[in-house]
């Protein structure tokens, strides 16, 4: 599946994030993320993307600080080139998972060769006989864009999810601060 667009939106009535993946073939995949799932996913996603960025630059044996700086640089570079102004095209012709979004209960992240990341999303519910799920492979550039959208949606939801260092960008960092975050004080 070639991904054309991503959308991450906070749906207040559901108190969930709705991830919509629009493919170049006209397919759309819809996923629900709960606060609990999102708070567990964010730190792992950050670590995996940071490792992917480091492997691209042959920094596998470098310090965490070096990996972090490289990942922040790559994220800034991706966000400068990304198109966040074009509205999401919601006219999907095919919904492979059905009209009801998949409630994500399990996510598996597997680094692949060539700087890609395979993400498996599964819905395993006790009262459903056949679980739903799918896998996609994405490049680190798309992951940085996804993490930015995720961060923005978390800020809109006002969920108290702590962002790993370097994940929150300067454009939305104030929206994701939790009430117990201490701001630095400056003296002139």
């Amino acid at each position: 599946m070639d991904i054309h667009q991503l959308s991450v939106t906070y749906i207040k009535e559901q108190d969930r994030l709705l991830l919509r993946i629009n493919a170049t073939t006209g397919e759309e995949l819809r996923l629900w993320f709960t606060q609990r799932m999102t708070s567990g996913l964010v730190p792992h996603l950050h670590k995996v993307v940071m490792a992917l960025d480091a492997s691209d630059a042959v920094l596998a044996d470098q310090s965490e600080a070096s990996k972090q700086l490289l990942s922040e640089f790559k994220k800034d570079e991706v966000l400068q080139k990304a198109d966040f102004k074009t509205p999401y095209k919601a006219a999907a012709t095919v919904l492979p998972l059905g009209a009801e979004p998949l409630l994500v209960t399990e996510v598996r992240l597997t680094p692949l060769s060539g700087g890609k990341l395979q993400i498996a999303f599964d819905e395993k519910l006790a009262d459903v006989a056949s679980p739903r799920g799918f896998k996609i492979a994405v490049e680190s550039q798309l992951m940085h864009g996804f993490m930015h959208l995720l961060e923005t949606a978390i800020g809109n939801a006002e969920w108290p999810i702590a962002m790993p260092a370097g994940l929150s960008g300067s454009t939305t960092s104030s929206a994701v601060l939790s009430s117990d975050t201490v701001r630095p004080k400056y003296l002139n």
Side-chain angles (χ1 to χ4, degrees):
M1 169 189 284
D2 290 328
I3 297 173
H4 176 64
Q5 287 182 308
L6 291 174
S7 169
V8 181
T9 309
Y10 175 65
I11 308 298
K12 186 176 182 177
E13 296 77 21
Q14 294 279 344
D15 194 27
R16 298 179 186 172
L17 300 181
L18 178 62
L19 168 61
R20 296 167 64 186
I21 303 170
N22 190 344
T24 56
T25 57
E27 297 175 316
E28 181 179 273
L29 302 170
R30 298 173 181 169
L31 301 99
W32 284 125
F33 282 89
T34 62
Q35 181 177 346
R36 172 179 249 157
M37 173 55 68
T38 306
S39 66
L41 177 62
V42 166
H44 294 295
L45 195 59
H46 177 65
K47 284 181 184 180
V48 170
V49 171
M50 193 170 69
L52 282 175
D53 289 341
S55 69
D56 281 350
V58 193
L59 289 176
D61 295 333
Q62 296 297 323
S63 70
E64 286 297 310
S66 297
K67 291 177 185 179
Q68 182 68 40
L69 286 173
L70 176 66
S71 192
E72 288 177 29
F73 175 75
K74 283 195 173 191
K75 179 183 178 185
D76 289 343
E77 183 179 33
V78 167
L79 294 181
Q80 287 178 3
K81 296 177 184 177
D83 178 12
F84 292 107
K85 294 180 182 177
T86 302
Y88 182 82
K89 295 179 184 168
T93 56
V94 178
L95 299 171
L97 298 173
E100 183 61 31
L102 180 136
L103 176 60
V104 179
T105 59
E106 185 176 295
V107 177
R108 291 183 312 281
L109 306 171
T110 308
L112 302 173
S113 61
K116 288 189 173 186
L117 177 66
Q118 182 183 61
I119 308 173
F121 297 101
D122 292 313
E123 176 187 69
K124 296 181 179 176
L125 304 173
D127 58 343
V128 177
S130 59
R132 296 188 299 165
F134 68 96
K135 296 178 186 177
I136 57 172
V138 295
E139 297 176 353
S140 88
Q141 291 178 336
L142 186 58
M143 287 307 304
H144 283 293
F146 170 64
M147 290 184 344
H148 175 75
L149 292 173
L150 187 62
E151 173 189 345
T152 302
I154 290 168
N156 292 338
E158 298 178 354
W159 288 348
I161 297 176
M163 295 294 161
L167 180 60
S168 60
S170 59
T171 58
T172 58
S173 59
S174 63
V176 295
L177 292 174
S178 62
S179 60
D180 58 348
T181 302
V182 177
R183 293 179 182 231
K185 296 180 182 178
Y186 298 97
L187 299 174
N188 294 332

